[in-house]
Amino acid sequence: MANPIQELIAKRAAQELREGEVINLGIGIPTLVSKYVEDKKVFFHTENGMLGVEDVLEEKMDPNLVNAGKQPVGEGVGSSFFNSADSFGMIRGGHIDVAILGVLQVDREAHIANWAVPGKNIIGVGGAMDLLEGAKKVIVTTTHTSKDGKSKIMKECTYPITSNRSVDMIITELAVFRYLDGNLHLTELMPGVRLEEVEKNTEAEFIKSLE
Amino acid sequence: MANPIQELIAKRAAQELREGEVINLGIGIPTLVSKYVEDKKVFFHTENGMLGVEDVLEEKMDPNLVNAGKQPVGEGVGSSFFNSADSFGMIRGGHIDVAILGVLQVDREAHIANWAVPGKNIIGVGGAMDLLEGAKKVIVTTTHTSKDGKSKIMKECTYPITSNRSVDMIITELAVFRYLDGNLHLTELMPGVRLEEVEKNTEAEFIKSLE
Amino acid sequence: MMTTMEIFKTEKEALATVQSNQTIMVGGFGLVGAPLTLIDALVELNVKDLTIISNNLGEQGKGLGKLLLQKKVKKAIGSYFTSNRDVGEAYQRGELEIELMPQGTLAESIRAGGAGIGGYYTKTSVGTDLAKGKEIKVIDGEEYVFEKALKADVAIIRAHKADTLGNLIYYKTARNFNPIMATAAQYVVAEVDEIVEVGQLKSDEIVTPHLFVDGVIVAKKVLTKEGVVDNG
Amino acid sequence: MMTTMEIFKTEKEALATVQSNQTIMVGGFGLVGAPLTLIDALVELNVKDLTIISNNLGEQGKGLGKLLLQKKVKKAIGSYFTSNRDVGEAYQRGELEIELMPQGTLAESIRAGGAGIGGYYTKTSVGTDLAKGKEIKVIDGEEYVFEKALKADVAIIRAHKADTLGNLIYYKTARNFNPIMATAAQYVVAEVDEIVEVGQLKSDEIVTPHLFVDGVIVAKKVLTKEGVVDNG
């Protein structure tokens, strides 16, 4: 069932991708991005060991051909398979152009937290830390607030951070932020969103740099 | 042109190999060993990136199919190719059963010197150090003395050593030595060789353990 | 490996040497590329206090998840246990030790173990809780964290085809951790869809050369769209 | 890599961005698997003070041996220079710096460079002259020597076939250092026997996925039984 907020965010993220880029999509909203690349030729990499991931029709699903979210995927022409050490060599080695990731929190220095919640039984990190170290550009796609209405764009992450590296861009259903020169810049309001809404729902300070 | 001394040493070395073993052959006398394995099924590994090396007839030689000595070789049934990092992973990781190597010198602690001669323009080490660290068993094949008649089995190597690791066995045209419990043991005289000849031509102390 | 590769008829024979307190690598990403037949055999063995190195501990009650429920796992080393909630519960009850690693670090440490590398430096996890207590080294002005190689007594892996020498090829994303685990254990058994004659696998397409493999067995449990089913 | 792979008509275009003082990885084991066309183009370039990372510096007057004779090489990093006696002579005359590494360490350092590993510990060379001045670390009771990753500005490599995306496969032992060098440089050009349509190389047999490759060119110089000859 398509969630219109998630689809909106994914569609906006897809606009950031450029012809020929190699993209790694995280679990959740990022996975939806591939639907919106249209006729741009980009290449999707998945950390379990494949380059050339495509969407797949249900009748063609193969249980042994999956992405990092363990969802069945398709195999584009010119795709290739490799082991997990080689796959993370590509990630850490700087060979992935863009990683699009979900987060639990992101702070004013664009550090993200997306792998652990203190006191909860979440014992998993997966490839998130590697992608943050290695991808040339990291885009965060997230709802602006959590279910209880609190801003996910916070002064400081209260959950454990995923990396020292700041992400490059944050896309929510309300706005687009870029992290430049040590500051979060609000560069875009999503269609129909007023500045006050963004201000009200964003805990971290940001600079207004609307284009 | 077959050199009978070299052939004799190679033939004796081949007797040490056991069915199913994976063997890496160095340059020089070791390369000759493959001729003498007869119907024992062993597998030759070469560090430039191949498992399943076989001898090749001249008319079938392929300039892009070579061993570590850059000599054309054949491709056995079930052979495989891999890159040099993976090949040395096999070596360092302990996946090679036996390495047979040539030496310039070997000392009473079975350390070998085979990669450098002080004052001479020899600037190469190749895979020798890796093989000494990684191979489960190392056999040295060498003429007993150098061209000027000096013993190659010395009290102490005067050339730079190749590894801290002691080799397991030394095979020359005069004798076979094994390194056990910190001592060189003379375990075998080559056919027609008298003990005195070995004593005269061996500078390092050894224990007589003839079987 | 041993010098002669064995083709096993039963999974019990294939795992005859497994003992309590051993470290066992298990291939797969979730159930994809996991050696489901050998995992079931492991569950049946009368052993305990195993250390399991695997990306996940299967799913709830499936794959390695069964081994966990039998309390045969002392410690799990992997990157993502969230998908099996039994893991978190066993951990909270103090019945299970966990060593959580970034997925790339897990893969690299296994590769290092197989390739005779003692340890290495990665930027991954620097500045995070997972780097706490670990050595940091500055290389060319950047911080890296030291990670040690991982090795195991036994690796059970999943491949697509084996030849009778033990050469292996893999199927699509069922490759994942399997080829690297094949290099990093004393004793390696591969579960495959098919065993073919030597020469049937092309020398340029072999992913795991036979020198890494001690035994092979044909899979009796396979992953299908309908879940895990018995094979033939 | 750049985001779009280029198919070059001339080797001069392929190397248009190469500059003096750069570090260049060159594939091959001797002349086997060496990018002979691109090496010849490198010889023609008006550049100097190059650092060359390659197992050998070709043979006397052949392959990289030509580049040496032109005095364009400031430093050579490799494992075996004995087979080209010009190397020793240039070194003795003080015209060439040499960094000699065990072959496995050379290969591993290149792989590390491509895989985002800052450095690693190997037992190889411990206790020898090649470990002098290097950090030693004891891991599980054994001594290891620290080795740093190697990276380059440019890699010129030799493959067998490329598809139009830049995926590569290799020919027999001409594979050697080529796939790892493809991962470890900012700019990677592959010289190949043939460029085929996308889809012609099977997804399971591709050795170098296209994300590593910036450009390809069809080989004009090839190694045959009769030596290096012009191709067609």
Side-chain angles (χ1 to χ4, degrees):
Chain A
M1 196 75 82
N3 169 326
I5 287 181
Q6 294 189 345
E7 301 289 336
L8 178 77
I9 296 169
K11 193 171 174 182
R12 178 61 191 83
Q15 290 170 17
E16 292 300 307
L17 306 181
R18 285 175 318 206
E19 190 82 15
E21 284 183 330
V22 175
I23 323 290
N24 187 295
L25 301 180
I27 302 176
I29 299 175
T31 307
L32 304 171
V33 172
S34 60
K35 286 199 290 187
Y36 296 105
V37 294
E38 296 172 353
D39 56 358
K40 251 183 300 194
K41 185 69 197 153
V42 295
F43 303 97
F44 291 104
H45 172 273
T46 184
E47 59 251 45
N48 46 320
M50 180 181 181
L51 178 65
V53 174
E54 288 195 351
D55 293 340
V56 66
L57 296 173
E58 189 161 353
E59 61 269 29
K60 290 202 166 174
M61 284 181 184
D62 177 339
N64 286 302
L65 180 50
V66 302
N67 65 14
K70 295 174 189 126
Q71 296 170 306
V73 294
E75 186 180 341
V77 180
S79 64
S80 51
F81 298 100
F82 27 83
N83 70 50
S84 297
D86 286 345
S87 186
F88 280 91
M90 293 173 194
I91 293 170
R92 275 189 320 257
H95 306 286
I96 306 298
D97 295 303
V98 184
I100 306 183
L101 300 173
V103 296
L104 299 168
Q105 302 178 330
V106 50
D107 72 15
R108 62 183 167 194
E109 288 181 324
H111 293 133
I112 70 167
N114 74 347
W115 68 280
V117 179
K120 285 216 183 164
N121 248 349
I122 299 173
I123 308 174
V125 58
M129 290 186 180
D130 297 285
L131 283 161
L132 275 162
E133 287 302 332
K136 288 181 196 158
K137 182 176 182 178
V138 179
I139 299 174
V140 159
T141 54
T142 178
T143 54
H144 208 97
T145 51
S146 59
K147 282 177 195 156
D148 56 3
K150 285 193 185 136
S151 180
K152 287 191 181 177
I153 306 174
M154 307 170 75
K155 285 199 165 61
E156 199 120 8
C157 292
T158 56
Y159 298 162
I161 59 167
T162 308
S163 171
N164 273 339
R165 183 244 179 101
S166 302
V167 302
D168 300 282
M169 196 170 175
I170 304 163
I171 301 175
T172 77
E173 76 281 19
L174 299 184
V176 176
F177 296 88
R178 291 176 198 270
Y179 187 70
L180 297 165
D181 310 322
N183 291 294
L184 284 183
H185 292 254
L186 171 68
T187 56
E188 195 179 323
L189 297 171
M190 292 295 268
V193 174
R194 283 168 304 114
L195 177 60
E196 299 72 54
E197 269 181 277
V198 176
E199 286 175 327
K200 200 183 107 200
N201 288 292
T202 307
E203 185 195 297
E205 311 88 275
F206 57 86
I207 295 172
K208 280 164 234 148
S209 306
L210 292 167
E211 286 146 6
Chain B
M1 196 75 83
N3 169 325
I5 287 181
Q6 294 188 347
E7 300 290 336
L8 178 76
I9 297 169
K11 194 172 173 180
R12 177 62 191 82
Q15 291 170 18
E16 292 300 309
L17 306 181
R18 286 176 317 207
E19 190 81 13
E21 285 184 330
V22 175
I23 323 291
N24 187 295
L25 301 179
I27 301 176
I29 299 175
T31 306
L32 305 171
V33 172
S34 61
K35 286 200 290 189
Y36 297 104
V37 293
E38 296 171 354
D39 56 357
K40 250 182 304 195
K41 186 67 199 155
V42 294
F43 302 97
F44 291 104
H45 172 273
T46 183
E47 60 250 45
N48 46 323
M50 180 182 180
L51 178 65
V53 174
E54 287 195 351
D55 293 341
V56 66
L57 297 173
E58 191 162 351
E59 62 269 29
K60 290 201 168 178
M61 283 181 185
D62 177 339
N64 286 303
L65 180 51
V66 302
N67 65 15
K70 296 176 188 124
Q71 296 170 308
V73 295
E75 185 180 341
V77 181
S79 64
S80 52
F81 298 101
F82 27 83
N83 71 49
S84 297
D86 286 345
S87 186
F88 280 91
M90 294 173 193
I91 293 171
R92 275 189 320 258
H95 306 286
I96 306 297
D97 295 304
V98 185
I100 306 183
L101 299 174
V103 295
L104 299 167
Q105 302 178 331
V106 51
D107 72 16
R108 62 181 167 193
E109 288 182 323
H111 292 134
I112 70 167
N114 74 346
W115 69 281
V117 179
K120 285 215 183 167
N121 248 348
I122 299 175
I123 308 173
V125 58
M129 290 185 179
D130 297 285
L131 284 162
L132 275 161
E133 287 302 332
K136 288 182 196 158
K137 182 176 182 178
V138 178
I139 299 174
V140 159
T141 55
T142 179
T143 55
H144 209 98
T145 53
S146 60
K147 282 178 195 155
D148 56 3
K150 287 198 184 129
S151 179
K152 286 190 181 178
I153 305 174
M154 308 170 73
K155 285 199 165 61
E156 198 119 9
C157 292
T158 56
Y159 298 161
I161 60 167
T162 308
S163 171
N164 272 340
R165 182 244 179 101
S166 302
V167 302
D168 300 283
M169 195 171 177
I170 304 163
I171 301 175
T172 78
E173 75 281 18
L174 299 184
V176 175
F177 297 88
R178 290 176 198 270
Y179 187 71
L180 297 165
D181 309 321
N183 291 294
L184 283 183
H185 292 255
L186 171 69
T187 56
E188 193 179 324
L189 297 171
M190 292 296 268
V193 174
R194 284 169 302 113
L195 178 60
E196 299 72 52
E197 268 181 277
V198 176
E199 286 174 329
K200 201 184 106 197
N201 288 293
T202 306
E203 186 195 295
E205 312 89 274
F206 58 85
I207 296 172
K208 280 163 233 150
S209 306
L210 291 167
E211 285 146 7
Chain C
M1 63 164 278
M2 298 165 185
T3 47
T4 313
M5 212 280 298
E6 277 202 68
I7 298 176
F8 292 108
K9 286 269 182 344
T10 72
E11 53 274 32
K12 206 175 155 185
E13 289 170 86
L15 298 185
T17 60
V18 175
Q19 290 165 30
S20 293
N21 286 301
Q22 282 189 328
T23 296
I24 305 192
M25 287 182 181
V26 183
F29 181 72
L31 300 179
V32 178
L36 299 167
T37 311
L38 291 168
I39 290 171
D40 274 7
L42 197 57
V43 171
E44 295 301 316
L45 285 186
N46 186 21
V47 293
K48 56 180 178 139
D49 292 331
L50 299 175
T51 295
I52 300 292
I53 301 175
S54 194
N55 193 58
N56 325 86
L57 271 188
E59 296 176 10
Q60 213 169 10
K62 290 183 194 166
L64 287 171
K66 293 188 202 174
L67 197 69
L68 175 68
L69 289 179
Q70 294 234 347
K71 305 193 178 177
K72 288 177 172 170
V73 186
K74 182 177 69 179
K75 182 177 179 180
I77 301 174
S79 94
Y80 198 78
F81 299 113
T82 312
S83 48
N84 180 355
R85 65 161 57 195
D86 292 342
V87 176
E89 288 173 12
Y91 176 70
Q92 298 295 352
R93 286 196 304 268
E95 291 169 10
L96 178 71
E97 288 171 55
I98 287 182
E99 187 173 338
L100 186 68
M101 301 173 80
Q103 196 174 332
T105 300
L106 175 67
E108 187 67 13
S109 291
I110 295 166
R111 184 209 167 264
I117 299 301
Y120 62 93
Y121 291 97
T122 174
K123 278 193 266 186
T124 301
S125 93
V126 169
T128 74
D129 288 356
L130 292 188
K132 276 187 184 155
K134 293 189 172 174
E135 179 208 333
I136 299 290
K137 192 186 192 85
V138 175
I139 301 173
D140 291 340
E142 296 200 81
E143 286 188 330
Y144 288 79
V145 59
F146 175 69
E147 298 283 354
K148 247 182 77 172
L150 287 171
K151 287 197 248 190
D153 299 299
V154 176
I156 57 177
I157 64 167
R158 183 68 160 89
H160 181 36
K161 293 183 185 180
D163 68 21
T164 53
L165 282 181
N167 289 307
L168 303 177
I169 62 168
Y170 299 86
Y171 183 82
K172 303 190 190 280
T173 55
R175 186 183 300 203
N176 58 62
F177 288 89
N178 290 296
I180 50 175
M181 288 182 172
T183 71
Q186 282 294 315
Y187 175 73
V188 177
V189 195
E191 172 175 342
V192 300
D193 290 310
E194 193 187 351
I195 300 171
V196 300
E197 284 307 307
V198 180
Q200 296 289 96
L201 305 181
K202 279 166 44 191
S203 54
D204 281 309
E205 74 176 355
I206 289 168
V207 173
T208 296
H210 63 81
L211 52 66
F212 293 117
V213 182
D214 297 289
V216 297
I217 186 166
V218 174
K220 295 174 184 173
K221 303 266 178 195
V222 296
L223 183 65
T224 70
K225 272 194 205 183
E226 287 71 40
V228 179
V229 301
D230 288 338
N231 187 14
Chain D
M1 64 165 274
M2 297 167 186
T3 47
T4 313
M5 212 280 298
E6 274 202 70
I7 298 175
F8 292 108
K9 285 268 182 345
T10 72
E11 52 275 33
K12 206 175 154 186
E13 287 170 90
L15 300 185
T17 60
V18 174
Q19 290 165 31
S20 293
N21 286 300
Q22 282 189 327
T23 296
I24 304 190
M25 289 183 179
V26 183
F29 181 71
L31 300 180
V32 179
L36 300 167
T37 311
L38 291 167
I39 290 171
D40 274 7
L42 198 56
V43 171
E44 294 301 316
L45 286 185
N46 186 21
V47 295
K48 58 183 177 133
D49 293 331
L50 299 176
T51 294
I52 300 292
I53 301 175
S54 194
N55 193 56
N56 327 86
L57 271 188
E59 297 176 10
Q60 215 170 8
K62 289 182 193 165
L64 287 171
K66 293 187 202 176
L67 197 68
L68 175 69
L69 289 178
Q70 294 233 351
K71 305 194 177 176
K72 288 177 171 169
V73 185
K74 182 178 69 180
K75 181 175 180 181
I77 300 174
S79 94
Y80 197 79
F81 299 114
T82 312
S83 48
N84 180 354
R85 65 162 56 194
D86 292 343
V87 176
E89 288 174 11
Y91 176 70
Q92 297 296 351
R93 287 196 303 269
E95 291 169 8
L96 178 70
E97 289 170 54
I98 287 182
E99 187 172 338
L100 187 67
M101 300 173 81
Q103 195 172 333
T105 300
L106 176 67
E108 187 68 12
S109 292
I110 295 166
R111 183 206 169 268
I117 299 302
Y120 62 92
Y121 292 96
T122 174
K123 278 194 265 186
T124 302
S125 94
V126 168
T128 74
D129 288 356
L130 292 190
K132 276 188 184 155
K134 292 187 174 176
E135 180 208 332
I136 299 290
K137 191 186 193 87
V138 176
I139 302 173
D140 290 340
E142 297 200 81
E143 286 189 328
Y144 289 79
V145 59
F146 175 69
E147 298 283 354
K148 246 182 79 170
L150 286 171
K151 287 196 249 189
D153 299 300
V154 176
I156 56 177
I157 63 168
R158 183 68 160 92
H160 180 36
K161 291 183 186 180
D163 68 20
T164 51
L165 282 181
N167 289 306
L168 304 177
I169 62 168
Y170 300 86
Y171 182 83
K172 302 187 189 282
T173 55
R175 188 182 300 200
N176 57 62
F177 288 88
N178 290 298
I180 50 175
M181 287 181 173
T183 71
Q186 280 295 313
Y187 175 74
V188 176
V189 195
E191 171 175 343
V192 299
D193 291 312
E194 194 185 352
I195 300 171
V196 300
E197 284 306 308
V198 179
Q200 296 291 96
L201 305 181
K202 280 167 42 192
S203 55
D204 281 309
E205 73 176 356
I206 289 168
V207 173
T208 296
H210 64 81
L211 52 67
F212 293 118
V213 182
D214 298 289
V216 296
I217 186 167
V218 174
K220 295 174 185 172
K221 303 268 177 192
V222 295
L223 183 64
T224 69
K225 273 194 204 183
E226 287 71 41
V228 179
V229 302
D230 288 336
N231 187 14

